[in-house]
Amino acid sequence: MENYINPALKGKELWYFYADWCPYCKEQTPIIDEFESENPDINIIRIESREAEAIDHNKISSFPTHMVFINGEYIDSYPGLQQKNSLENMFA
Protein backbone atom coordinates (compact mmCIF):
# COMPACT_ATOMS: atom_id res chain seq x y z
CA MET A 1 0.00 0.00 0.00
CA GLU A 2 2.87 2.42 0.67
CA ASN A 3 3.71 2.47 -3.06
CA TYR A 4 0.28 3.83 -3.78
CA ILE A 5 0.62 6.69 -1.35
CA ASN A 6 4.28 7.64 -1.83
CA PRO A 7 5.66 7.92 -5.36
CA ALA A 8 9.16 6.71 -6.21
CA LEU A 9 11.79 9.38 -5.74
CA LYS A 10 13.40 8.60 -9.10
CA GLY A 11 11.87 8.10 -12.51
CA LYS A 12 8.49 8.57 -14.08
CA GLU A 13 5.27 7.09 -12.72
CA LEU A 14 1.72 6.98 -14.00
CA TRP A 15 -0.81 6.02 -11.36
CA TYR A 16 -3.88 4.54 -13.02
CA PHE A 17 -6.94 4.51 -10.75
CA TYR A 18 -9.68 2.26 -12.11
CA ALA A 19 -12.74 0.24 -11.17
CA ASP A 20 -13.61 -3.19 -12.55
CA TRP A 21 -17.25 -2.13 -12.99
CA CYS A 22 -16.41 1.09 -14.90
CA PRO A 23 -17.11 0.94 -18.67
CA TYR A 24 -14.58 3.71 -19.38
CA CYS A 25 -11.94 1.81 -17.43
CA LYS A 26 -12.64 -1.26 -19.57
CA GLU A 27 -11.80 0.89 -22.59
CA GLN A 28 -8.83 2.52 -20.85
CA THR A 29 -7.02 -0.63 -19.69
CA PRO A 30 -5.95 -1.87 -23.16
CA ILE A 31 -4.70 1.65 -23.96
CA ILE A 32 -2.70 1.64 -20.72
CA ASP A 33 -1.33 -1.82 -21.59
CA GLU A 34 -0.14 -0.62 -25.00
CA PHE A 35 1.30 2.60 -23.55
CA GLU A 36 3.16 0.58 -20.93
CA SER A 37 4.69 -1.78 -23.50
CA GLU A 38 5.88 1.17 -25.61
CA ASN A 39 7.25 3.18 -22.65
CA PRO A 40 9.33 0.89 -20.43
CA ASP A 41 10.88 3.93 -18.72
CA ILE A 42 7.50 4.84 -17.19
CA ASN A 43 6.39 2.80 -14.19
CA ILE A 44 2.63 2.17 -14.32
CA ILE A 45 0.98 1.76 -10.91
CA ARG A 46 -2.51 0.26 -11.22
CA ILE A 47 -4.80 1.02 -8.31
CA GLU A 48 -8.21 -0.65 -8.23
CA SER A 49 -11.19 1.05 -6.57
CA ARG A 50 -11.11 -1.44 -3.68
CA GLU A 51 -7.79 0.06 -2.52
CA ALA A 52 -9.73 2.43 -0.27
CA GLU A 53 -6.74 3.91 1.53
CA ALA A 54 -5.04 4.95 -1.72
CA ILE A 55 -8.32 6.19 -3.24
CA ASP A 56 -9.13 8.28 -0.17
CA HIS A 57 -5.59 9.59 0.31
CA ASN A 58 -5.42 10.79 -3.31
CA LYS A 59 -8.98 12.17 -3.25
CA ILE A 60 -10.06 10.14 -6.29
CA SER A 61 -13.70 10.86 -7.11
CA SER A 62 -14.04 9.42 -10.62
CA PHE A 63 -12.72 6.51 -12.65
CA PRO A 64 -10.52 6.32 -14.54
CA THR A 65 -8.12 8.90 -13.13
CA HIS A 66 -4.44 9.22 -13.99
CA MET A 67 -1.82 10.87 -11.78
CA VAL A 68 1.65 11.75 -13.05
CA PHE A 69 4.78 11.85 -10.89
CA ILE A 70 8.33 12.60 -12.00
CA ASN A 71 11.16 11.96 -9.53
CA GLY A 72 8.64 11.87 -6.69
CA GLU A 73 7.06 15.20 -7.61
CA TYR A 74 3.34 15.32 -8.33
CA ILE A 75 2.79 16.86 -11.78
CA ASP A 76 -0.97 16.68 -12.40
CA SER A 77 -4.14 14.55 -12.41
CA TYR A 78 -6.12 13.66 -15.51
CA PRO A 79 -9.62 12.24 -14.99
CA GLY A 80 -11.52 10.40 -17.68
CA LEU A 81 -10.70 8.17 -20.61
CA GLN A 82 -7.34 9.12 -22.16
CA GLN A 83 -6.07 8.12 -25.58
CA LYS A 84 -2.46 7.03 -26.01
CA ASN A 85 -1.32 10.39 -27.40
CA SER A 86 -2.81 12.09 -24.32
CA LEU A 87 -0.87 9.71 -22.06
CA GLU A 88 2.32 10.52 -23.99
CA ASN A 89 1.66 14.26 -23.65
CA MET A 90 1.44 13.89 -19.87
CA PHE A 91 5.17 13.17 -19.86
CA ALA A 92 6.26 15.59 -22.61
Side-chain angles (χ1 to χ4, degrees):
M1 183 62 73
E2 277 303 304
N3 288 5
Y4 303 152
I5 296 175
N6 298 309
L9 297 178
K10 294 188 186 240
K12 300 174 184 177
E13 288 187 343
L14 174 66
W15 292 11
Y16 170 46
F17 294 89
Y18 70 98
D20 288 334
W21 47 262
C22 166
Y24 297 110
C25 298
K26 290 177 183 182
E27 282 185 65
Q28 184 70 75
T29 298
I31 297 168
I32 292 285
D33 293 343
E34 183 178 347
F35 177 76
E36 182 175 33
S37 70
E38 293 175 2
N39 296 277
D41 61 318
I42 299 173
N43 187 26
I44 309 293
I45 307 291
R46 297 165 191 252
I47 306 166
E48 210 279 326
S49 63
R50 289 174 281 201
E51 298 286 348
E53 184 179 354
I55 299 299
D56 292 345
H57 179 80
N58 291 289
K59 298 176 176 61
I60 303 302
S61 60
S62 65
F63 298 103
T65 292
H66 311 77
M67 293 178 76
V68 173
F69 296 88
I70 298 177
N71 296 326
E73 181 182 342
Y74 169 75
I75 304 301
D76 210 347
S77 290
Y78 304 87
L81 179 63
Q82 304 290 324
Q83 297 303 317
K84 193 170 68 166
N85 63 337
S86 297
L87 295 171
E88 292 164 352
N89 288 335
M90 292 176 192
F91 292 92

